[in-house]
Amino acid sequence: MAFVIEVALLVVVLGLIWRYLGAYLVAVYEGHLHFLDWIERPVLRLLGIQRDAEQSWKRYLRSLLVFSVVSLVITYLLLALQGHLPLNPEHLPGVTPALAFNTAVSFVTNTNWQNYSGGVTMSYLSQMVALAVQNFVSASVGVAVAIAVIRGFARKRSGTLGNFWIDTLRGIIYVLLPVSIVMTLVFVWQGAPQTLLGPAHIHNVLNGVHQTILRGPVASQEVIKQLGTNGGGFFNANSAHPFENPTGFTNFLQIVLLLSVPVALTYTFGKMVGNVREGVAVLMAMIILFAGTFAFSLAAEKGGNPAIRAAGITSTRGNMVGKESRFGVDNSVLFNIASTQTSTGSVNSSADSYTPIGGMGMLAGMMYDEISPGGIGSGMYTMLIFAVLTVFIGGLMVGRTPEYVKKKIQRTEIIWASVGVLVMPITVLVFTAITVAIPAGRAAILNHGPHGFSEILYAFTSMGNNNGSAFAGLSSNTAYFNIVGAIVMLIGRFGIIIPVLALAGSLAAKEEVPVSAGTFLTATPMFTGLLVGVILLVGALNFFPAVALGPIAEAVLHGRFF
Amino acid sequence: MTARTEMKPSRAKGVAGSKSLFDRQILQAAIRGSFTKLDPRIQVKNPVMFVVYLGTMVTFVASIIHSSLFSWLVTVVLAFTVLFANFAEAMAEGRGKAQADTLRKTRTETEARKLLADGTTETRIRASDLQTGDLVVCEAGDVIPSDGEIVEGVASVDESAITGESAPVIREAGGDRSSVTGGTMVLSDRIVVKITATPGNSFLDRMISLVEGADRKKTPNEIALSILLVALTVIFVPVVVSLEYFAHFAHTGVAIVTLVALLVCLIPTTIGALLSAIGIAGMDRMVQKNVLAMSGRAVEAAGDVSTLLLDKTGTITFGNRMASRFVGVGGTTADELARAARLSSLADETPEGRSIVVLAKNEYGIRDTDSGTDFEFVPFSATTRMSGVNFKGSQIRKGAAEAIKRWVIEQGGDVPTEVDEITRDIANAGSTPLVVAQDQRVLGVIELKDVVKPGIKERFAELRKMGIRTVMITGDNPLTAAAIASEAGVDDYLAEATPERKLELIKEEQEGGKLVAMTGDGTNDAPALAQADVGVAMNSGTVAAKEAGNMVDLDSSPTKLIEIVEVGKQLLITRGALTTFSIANDLAKYFAIIPALFIAAYPQLKILNIMHLHSPITAILSAVIFNAIIIIILIPLALKGVKFRPAAASEIIRRNVFIYGVGGVIIPFIGIKIIDIILTVTRLY
């Protein structure tokens, strides 16, 4: 009952966020707000950017790539050289080159796949400057791309999509920073540490045990980790760690934070293209997919652990293996599903210990391309790719060449939309296949049989979707995994951003088509239904064979699905 | 006669519609074509089917190396999948080819009587040697050697070779009826024609290459869809190839033949096989409606049209004013008026005059009772502006209000004031008043109405539901235009239209992103026809009009535009529906093949075998056989097009999603199960 109330509360809170944060984002990116001009102006002047300098999609993309490369280099250097840099109370050595590369890519691509254990590998400087900065900027870049794509739909006969530098800067100063500052205080109040004093050393005189308790600037990391759908935890245990996620309230807040911007962007989309209901139609598709996946995993986890059941032990609390008793099955599943469906990847329970079908729910959220509601910005733009494809197939069936929010979908759009949809599954499947085929890949697998396969499949699906959650059971801090993983993350990020910006550029240049009774209306349940159908079908067609050999095979070996 | 059949004149029998969809000859040619199209240079143009083609070769080689009944069967089924796709395309091309052959026969080597520069001497040269600008003479019985314009004379011409319409048409020098088409025959009189077509590029030549589809290019939407299909093919290559490694990890292997079978089942072969057939059939349906589309692009644009510019005369109204009402004045009853009006019109052969006689008969039952010989008819003249009859010492006159009033006053009579009121009311309603007087007395007023065709209002309502706006174009004054527009139910009208205003209107509509379709025949329509997204030139129109438009209506029927839009929509719907169906089919194929692949590694995976297929081998075979057979089953649908009823987009999509989307998911489950049962029962496996 308490959980039902919690979910109801979540829906209400997210509804308000959808409406008001969505409208706020419109104001931020359309340049209606000026109260932070005193930050914005000097920064732009420093970068040499005119305040009204618009960019074509190619320039927008070039700026984005330049910025990402620079971010990558800086992050890499900070990590590799942390041993010589300040704010390193534990005197941690520099991060090894392969791991530093992997980690830099991971944070720049908003993946936050962690091949390291935060508390014992990263200095405070690395956490706060190298990683936390990327948590902000990679998130803001994601939103900027989403906004540019939305502008592509909203503008007509326009050669430009906005300005990458201005969009990214505004996202940080108007959205991510203010929310983070306020929420950090809430986390501190709830008990998350925020200190630069280094680990606490406790010597228990009574039993003579000496304890080292890792701590650091956790609270501030925590908020942006979720808000920016980053997911990289301060500690290895991520949000299962009591310092990262001290109470039931922070658990709720974390879920709200990670869903907020992706959800609100659907309102922004609707508002900017001139019909909020267009955004609602897309949001509904996200909700249906989210709710379905959540119900699917929850049913599996409630059903209990087949291995324990086989041992003759009955449990009424479902599968509690790998879950915090503070959160229980309901809140663990809700957290993990929300996190895997938003490309956040933070977890409050061990994904590896979920039942095969419960784990498949998390996997599925990523396999249908992180769109329900998806990562910050990336969920929105990926969803729009699917919307374009849906309209192309469905729209033909009304007897007109297809159009979406008044824009004709033609050859160029289909080329880029196809590329955008193909990149992720091809990358995931090819690299999973390579990894299971070669010794360097197979060596990392701790479990064999279908579970071992699931672990690899999960790892590459997670990296390819810039999610970052891990199934564990994989010793992935090897040169092979660090380098191949980095490649997969780069393709997963830029392999979609490039085509989606090209798509937006082509759309922006187009004339609007007036809506008539002959138009396939997209602000309708029919469109939502078709969109969900296309997403599920594309996801299922791409991954059904792989899933059959992983989680499904594992589940049927135990004799049942749920 | 219902309204609908009224709108669609029965199909002409000439060029178009000569062959049924599954004519025996076409069928035989298509079977031959299925094999000749196996040329890899042709196959590579269709990437989806090319993958099947290559897959067949792979399984063929695999079958030779590790021969088994299963691998040979798969190879044969895959080969048939390719053949079926070829067959679909060949079928679609078949009817056009047959029609082209018929047309070629009419293009027999004719001799032309070329007029030399002196203007009198004739020399006989071959028609194919004629150059643009040459003058040729054609007399009764001559076949006109090439396209041209009459510079001298008037003739009746039999155009049945082109239009299929056997009634001869009049062609004369000057004006909009001056163009003649090569291959048609002069039935009477003598004309001098100035040749306008370059050799080998006459209308007939173009028509042949169009119906034959010789230089058919993929249309923009077809290209976009092909790209999507390529993407859906490309994606399944890694899906299938990676599966080999995944399977290996699970300590099992998948035979290459099985992998190819899976790949072929997953890539969108159904739509891939039928896509070009759908496009060709769409063009062909236009030809069946006696419309020559100069490009597939125009047919596609027809589906997108959101504004139709329709000429009032001939499309919306019958074109002639017809008597619709008798209004008596000054105590005269309508019956008396009808009697007098009828008498005055008995010898009046104008359509208006005849319509008065008809109305008197139909509404008042007045027939030929007072036959006599002492009738003296007074024909209409431009000076009197009235006509009538003198009999038994009495004079009856009908004509324009002012003329009759003057005449009555001249006779010493006077005009009741109500006449002015009635005539004004009639004029306000968009009709023409005709006043009738007998000697000094005004009898009443006849309302001559521009009669709107029955059923047209409903037709426009349908178009509106489809989201298409109709704009009536007329030379009438705004008052008359408004009245007719509201009666016909058009959305808008352009009164006192000139070619310039027409062009302006088109540009205005296009400015807002709308696609505009119009018909035209005159030379002064040419700019507007060229500007319109779908410009339909009447075959009876001038060469300039025909060249400006992107379609030619051989019937020269003004209502054709509506049918053209429907054909365009049907084409797009068929494409969308079969694509949806094709993709939706994949789900069932997965459920057939995946458990079959891995049952050896994980026997418990049989839980996924929800169709309870007999064995892994029958499961895979059933899926590939279904995949091949569905192509053949859907050929008629691809050629005829998905049934199209005018309705709102929301309604159409609901129906099509249900049939082709939901149906596309369910049907293969049933089909594969049935094939599996057949394979099992026949103990093939």
Side-chain angles (χ1 to χ4, degrees):
Chain A
M1 189 61 208
F3 184 64
V4 174
I5 295 168
E6 187 193 326
V7 170
L9 194 63
L10 183 66
V11 170
V12 172
V13 170
L14 283 173
L16 292 170
I17 288 174
W18 174 77
R19 170 66 184 76
Y20 293 102
L21 180 59
Y24 179 72
L25 291 175
V26 176
V28 167
Y29 289 100
E30 292 205 327
H32 300 323
L33 299 181
H34 296 285
F35 64 88
L36 292 176
D37 275 357
W38 55 276
I39 306 176
E40 190 178 318
R41 281 175 193 228
V43 174
L44 290 180
R45 208 174 304 128
L46 199 70
L47 290 167
I49 313 268
Q50 300 285 326
R51 292 193 80 219
D52 50 1
E54 286 272 327
Q55 292 177 314
S56 68
W57 78 264
K58 284 183 185 156
R59 291 196 69 89
Y60 203 99
L61 177 64
R62 196 183 313 152
S63 302
L64 187 151
L65 294 177
V66 166
F67 181 69
S68 300
V69 169
V70 171
S71 299
L72 202 57
V73 172
I74 293 176
T75 312
Y76 176 84
L77 290 176
L78 283 171
L79 296 180
L81 302 175
Q82 70 171 7
H84 308 288
L85 295 169
L87 284 177
N88 187 2
E90 287 180 273
H91 307 291
L92 295 167
V95 181
T96 58
L99 180 58
F101 174 59
N102 183 281
T103 307
V105 168
S106 174
F107 278 75
V108 169
T109 57
N110 197 251
T111 311
N112 301 33
W113 174 269
Q114 291 167 296
N115 271 345
Y116 60 90
S117 179
V120 295
T121 319
M122 297 296 168
S123 72
Y124 289 167
L125 185 84
S126 295
Q127 295 266 25
M128 289 170 68
V129 180
L131 304 186
V133 165
Q134 284 310 316
N135 277 352
F136 279 95
V137 295
S138 71
S140 193
V141 166
V143 183
V145 173
I147 293 292
V149 173
I150 293 171
R151 287 191 189 117
F153 284 99
R155 292 181 177 182
K156 55 176 177 177
R157 280 178 292 175
S158 163
T160 58
L161 294 175
N163 184 298
F164 169 77
W165 306 103
I166 298 174
D167 289 342
T168 307
L169 180 61
R170 286 194 182 147
I172 295 169
I173 62 173
Y174 280 101
V175 186
L176 300 176
L177 266 177
V179 177
S180 296
I181 292 168
V182 174
M183 293 311 279
T184 299
L185 298 176
V186 178
F187 272 76
V188 170
W189 162 53
Q190 286 291 309
Q194 180 75 7
T195 174
L196 294 178
L197 290 178
H201 297 280
I202 296 166
H203 185 73
N204 193 326
V205 249
L206 291 176
N207 57 14
V209 172
H210 186 83
Q211 273 189 301
T212 302
I213 295 175
L214 298 174
R215 56 185 185 179
V218 179
S220 58
Q221 282 277 62
E222 213 49 30
V223 177
I224 191 60
K225 170 184 106 182
Q226 302 295 76
L227 179 66
T229 70
N230 291 290
F234 197 93
F235 304 104
N236 202 27
N238 212 309
S239 287
H241 195 294
F243 283 179
E244 291 205 27
N245 193 4
T247 63
F249 179 56
T250 56
N251 194 60
F252 179 81
L253 274 186
Q254 295 207 354
I255 294 171
V256 170
L257 281 173
L258 60 85
L259 289 169
S260 56
V261 179
V263 164
L265 273 172
T266 61
Y267 182 91
T268 312
F269 166 67
K271 196 77 188 167
M272 284 175 73
V273 299
N275 184 1
V276 173
R277 290 169 60 187
E278 296 285 1
V280 174
V282 169
L283 177 68
M284 285 303 153
M286 292 173 169
I287 291 176
I288 290 168
L289 289 167
F290 184 94
T293 319
F294 173 59
F296 186 77
S297 278
L298 190 63
E301 292 307 299
K302 287 269 193 201
N305 188 317
I308 290 180
R309 203 170 38 235
I313 300 164
T314 48
S315 159
T316 51
R317 298 192 169 272
N319 176 27
M320 278 301 290
V321 181
K323 294 187 179 65
E324 278 280 287
S325 54
R326 294 184 293 148
F327 304 129
V329 168
D330 292 334
N331 265 309
S332 297
V333 176
L334 179 62
F335 189 106
N336 277 20
I337 289 295
S339 152
T340 44
Q341 306 242 339
T342 50
S343 105
T344 307
S346 55
V347 287
N348 74 351
S349 45
S350 166
D352 201 29
S353 307
Y354 273 51
T355 62
I357 299 300
M360 193 171 111
M362 285 184 266
L363 198 51
M366 296 186 276
M367 282 175 169
Y368 32 74
D369 233 346
E370 291 287 13
I371 34 70
S372 51
I376 187 162
S378 63
M380 191 67 219
Y381 61 69
T382 311
M383 191 58 148
L384 288 174
I385 295 181
F386 277 103
V388 163
L389 290 180
T390 304
V391 146
F392 186 76
I393 299 168
L396 273 179
M397 283 197 285
V398 304
R400 273 165 76 113
T401 57
E403 51 213 57
Y404 183 56
V405 286
K406 298 187 190 166
K407 290 297 175 74
K408 273 217 176 301
I409 304 303
Q410 290 160 315
R411 189 180 152 183
T412 317
E413 289 72 37
I414 288 301
I415 291 177
W416 294 119
S418 297
V419 173
V421 166
L422 289 183
V423 164
M424 187 280 285
I426 290 182
T427 312
V428 170
L429 289 172
V430 167
F431 282 97
T432 307
I434 292 174
T435 305
V436 298
I438 64 171
R442 298 175 78 114
I445 307 165
L446 303 180
N447 302 67
H448 284 275
H451 192 75
F453 180 71
S454 296
E455 287 168 354
I456 292 200
L457 181 65
Y458 193 101
F460 282 97
T461 308
S462 172
M463 292 187 286
N465 281 289
N466 301 130
N467 184 292
S469 68
F471 228 34
L474 202 62
S475 27
S476 52
N477 187 12
T478 62
Y480 172 80
F481 272 93
N482 278 328
I483 290 165
V484 168
I487 293 169
V488 170
M489 290 187 277
L490 286 171
I491 299 176
R493 176 78 163 178
F494 299 104
I496 296 181
I497 284 181
I498 294 169
V500 88
L501 279 177
L503 173 71
S506 168
L507 287 169
K510 289 192 173 213
E511 175 64 86
E512 280 189 355
V513 184
V515 173
S516 75
T519 310
F520 171 35
L521 297 177
T522 47
T524 55
M526 169 56 85
F527 174 71
T528 300
L530 275 179
L531 182 57
V532 170
V534 166
I535 292 167
L536 283 178
L537 201 64
V538 169
L541 293 180
N542 289 332
F543 290 110
F544 188 60
V547 168
L549 283 174
I552 293 180
E554 192 186 349
V556 296
L557 285 181
H558 291 301
R560 52 183 270 176
F561 278 112
F562 290 102
Chain B
M1 203 197 298
T2 65
R4 181 56 67 86
T5 50
E6 215 284 321
M7 298 296 302
K8 284 184 185 165
S10 59
R11 197 92 307 115
K13 292 154 291 294
V15 185
S18 55
K19 302 270 179 189
S20 81
L21 202 55
F22 293 101
D23 180 82
R24 196 184 172 78
Q25 249 176 320
I26 294 178
L27 217 57
Q28 281 168 352
I31 291 171
R32 271 197 306 278
S34 318
F35 289 92
T36 54
K37 280 174 189 284
L38 285 174
D39 185 336
R41 282 167 301 180
I42 298 175
Q43 289 292 317
V44 79
K45 287 181 190 160
N46 184 341
V48 180
M49 293 316 296
F50 191 60
V51 169
V52 183
Y53 188 80
L54 292 178
T56 314
M57 291 180 176
V58 170
T59 58
F60 180 72
V61 173
S63 301
I64 292 172
I65 298 169
H66 299 288
S67 189
S68 74
L69 178 59
F70 170 72
S71 62
W72 281 112
L73 276 176
V74 169
T75 308
V76 169
V77 175
L78 295 189
F80 268 101
T81 312
V82 176
L83 287 174
F84 289 166
N86 292 346
F87 179 70
E89 195 179 75
M91 278 299 291
E93 288 166 350
R95 190 153 56 169
K97 284 228 170 73
Q99 280 159 5
D101 288 342
T102 320
L103 284 172
R104 271 202 197 89
K105 279 175 203 147
T106 58
R107 198 184 52 177
T108 40
E109 261 316 299
T110 40
E111 275 203 327
R113 294 157 61 187
K114 187 181 167 190
L115 211 55
L116 292 186
D118 61 12
T120 46
T121 330
E122 287 177 20
T123 54
R124 291 187 172 265
I125 67 165
R126 288 212 316 236
S128 52
D129 292 338
L130 283 172
Q131 297 299 323
T132 336
D134 286 350
L135 294 178
V136 294
V137 176
C138 297
E139 278 181 312
D142 286 348
V143 172
I144 298 173
S146 185
D147 302 350
E149 273 186 77
I150 304 179
V151 290
E152 189 188 314
V154 52
S156 63
V157 178
D158 174 8
E159 294 191 335
S160 60
I162 302 288
T163 63
E165 174 60 55
S166 53
V169 292
I170 301 295
R171 294 279 178 243
E172 58 188 330
D176 288 348
R177 297 280 175 273
S178 64
S179 84
V180 287
T181 315
T184 59
M185 188 191 274
V186 177
L187 293 180
S188 69
D189 304 286
R190 173 183 186 275
I191 48 173
V192 178
V193 177
K194 185 179 181 187
I195 300 301
T196 53
T198 52
N201 201 19
S202 72
F203 185 68
L204 193 61
D205 292 319
R206 274 193 295 161
M207 191 163 160
I208 290 170
S209 84
L210 277 172
V211 295
E212 199 173 34
D215 48 359
R216 199 180 87 85
K217 289 192 186 69
K218 280 188 178 176
T219 59
N221 175 260
E222 201 178 344
I223 292 172
L225 184 52
S226 305
I227 291 167
L228 183 66
L229 297 183
V230 169
L232 286 173
T233 306
V234 167
I235 182 67
F236 288 117
V237 175
V239 167
V240 170
V241 172
S242 65
L243 196 54
E244 170 70 24
Y245 296 98
F246 298 169
H248 194 68
F249 185 78
H251 305 291
T252 182
V254 184
I256 185 106
V257 173
T258 311
L259 283 179
V260 172
L262 177 63
L263 177 65
V264 169
C265 283
L266 295 180
I267 63 177
T269 47
T270 313
I271 181 67
L274 298 173
L275 185 60
S276 72
I278 294 169
I280 298 166
M283 293 282 278
D284 188 52
R285 274 197 298 281
M286 282 288 184
V287 176
Q288 298 308 304
K289 297 203 181 286
N290 254 356
V291 175
L292 279 189
M294 296 303 159
S295 68
R297 183 187 281 263
V299 180
E300 222 163 62
D304 280 353
V305 160
S306 44
T307 307
L308 285 188
L309 302 191
L310 298 167
D311 278 325
K312 183 198 80 174
T313 310
T315 310
I316 295 168
T317 66
F318 283 110
N320 300 314
R321 288 162 188 273
M322 293 205 263
S324 63
R325 196 159 59 106
F326 294 114
V327 189
V329 295
T332 315
T333 63
D335 192 73
E336 272 175 79
L337 171 64
R339 211 168 282 279
R342 177 178 168 276
L343 277 179
S344 73
S345 308
L346 278 176
D348 185 350
E349 280 304 313
T350 62
E352 289 87 354
R354 266 180 295 171
S355 77
I356 291 171
V357 177
V358 170
L359 184 71
K361 187 176 108 186
N362 290 351
E363 298 277 310
Y364 299 93
I366 303 165
R367 292 171 183 282
D368 280 318
T369 46
D370 37 11
S371 54
T373 48
D374 50 348
F375 285 91
E376 187 205 335
F377 292 103
V378 181
F380 179 84
S381 83
T383 45
T384 60
R385 289 169 60 217
M386 57 190 182
S387 65
V389 63
N390 299 335
F391 85 117
K392 293 177 184 168
S394 178
Q395 293 181 319
I396 303 175
R397 291 290 182 276
K398 65 176 201 287
E402 291 311 310
I404 296 292
K405 269 154 65 180
R406 197 171 347 105
W407 181 75
V408 168
I409 290 163
E410 274 168 20
Q411 304 268 324
D414 52 16
V415 180
T417 49
E418 53 182 322
V419 172
D420 281 338
E421 281 166 38
I422 294 167
T423 53
R424 198 171 47 242
D425 287 349
I426 289 175
N428 284 348
S431 301
T432 310
L434 207 58
V435 179
V436 181
Q438 185 162 18
D439 303 324
Q440 296 102 335
R441 202 158 60 94
V442 174
L443 295 178
V445 186
I446 305 171
E447 182 178 357
L448 287 181
K449 217 173 158 184
D450 209 355
V451 179
V452 170
K453 287 185 173 179
I456 198 91
K457 190 166 188 166
E458 290 71 23
R459 209 65 199 277
F460 289 152
E462 281 179 358
L463 286 171
R464 198 169 305 120
K465 255 202 284 176
M466 287 156 58
I468 297 172
R469 228 164 65 85
T470 45
V471 180
M472 181 181 85
I473 308 290
T474 172
D476 291 344
N477 63 57
L479 207 65
T480 312
I484 294 170
S486 84
E487 193 184 341
V490 291
D491 297 299
D492 204 351
Y493 62 90
L494 179 68
E496 286 164 356
T498 58
E500 294 75 38
R501 294 196 54 188
K502 226 164 149 175
L503 183 62
E504 247 169 61
L505 177 70
I506 293 176
K507 284 183 177 163
E508 257 168 51
E509 293 279 322
Q510 288 174 334
E511 192 68 13
K514 288 179 184 155
L515 264 62
V516 182
M518 69 165 284
T519 52
D521 55 359
T523 299
N524 55 17
D525 281 333
L529 278 172
Q531 179 70 34
D533 301 282
V534 177
V536 183
M538 304 284 190
N539 188 48
S540 61
T542 61
V543 174
K546 280 197 245 178
E547 261 162 22
N550 47 18
M551 293 194 194
V552 175
D553 175 20
L554 299 175
D555 292 340
S556 305
S557 153
T559 50
K560 199 50 85 56
L561 212 45
I562 300 174
E563 292 175 48
I564 289 173
V565 168
E566 289 186 355
V567 171
K569 285 200 177 293
Q570 198 188 23
L571 170 72
L572 294 171
I573 291 176
T574 308
R575 243 181 232 159
L578 290 181
T579 306
T580 308
F581 186 83
S582 190
I583 298 171
N585 271 201
D586 278 4
L587 198 64
K589 294 175 192 164
Y590 259 143
F591 276 100
I593 295 182
I594 295 296
L597 287 183
F598 302 126
I599 207 114
Y602 304 115
Q604 295 91 338
L605 273 178
K606 69 176 188 294
I607 198 167
L608 291 180
N609 182 9
I610 55 175
M611 283 175 273
H612 298 289
L613 303 177
H614 178 69
S615 72
I617 283 178
T618 60
I620 294 165
L621 277 178
S622 305
V624 285
I625 292 174
F626 175 84
N627 194 51
I629 286 181
I630 197 73
I631 296 173
I632 284 287
I633 293 175
L634 290 174
I635 288 177
L637 185 68
L639 296 188
K640 284 186 195 151
V642 167
K643 205 170 137 207
F644 175 72
R645 253 181 295 139
S650 55
E651 205 175 303
I652 297 176
I653 186 107
R654 208 174 307 131
R655 193 173 59 228
N656 288 334
V657 164
F658 180 74
I659 298 174
Y660 299 99
V662 180
V665 169
I666 296 168
I667 288 169
F669 279 101
I670 300 166
I672 290 173
K673 179 68 188 170
I674 290 173
I675 296 168
D676 181 72
I677 290 171
I678 294 171
L679 287 177
T680 316
V681 169
T682 55
R683 294 190 180 277
L684 204 59
Y685 265 102

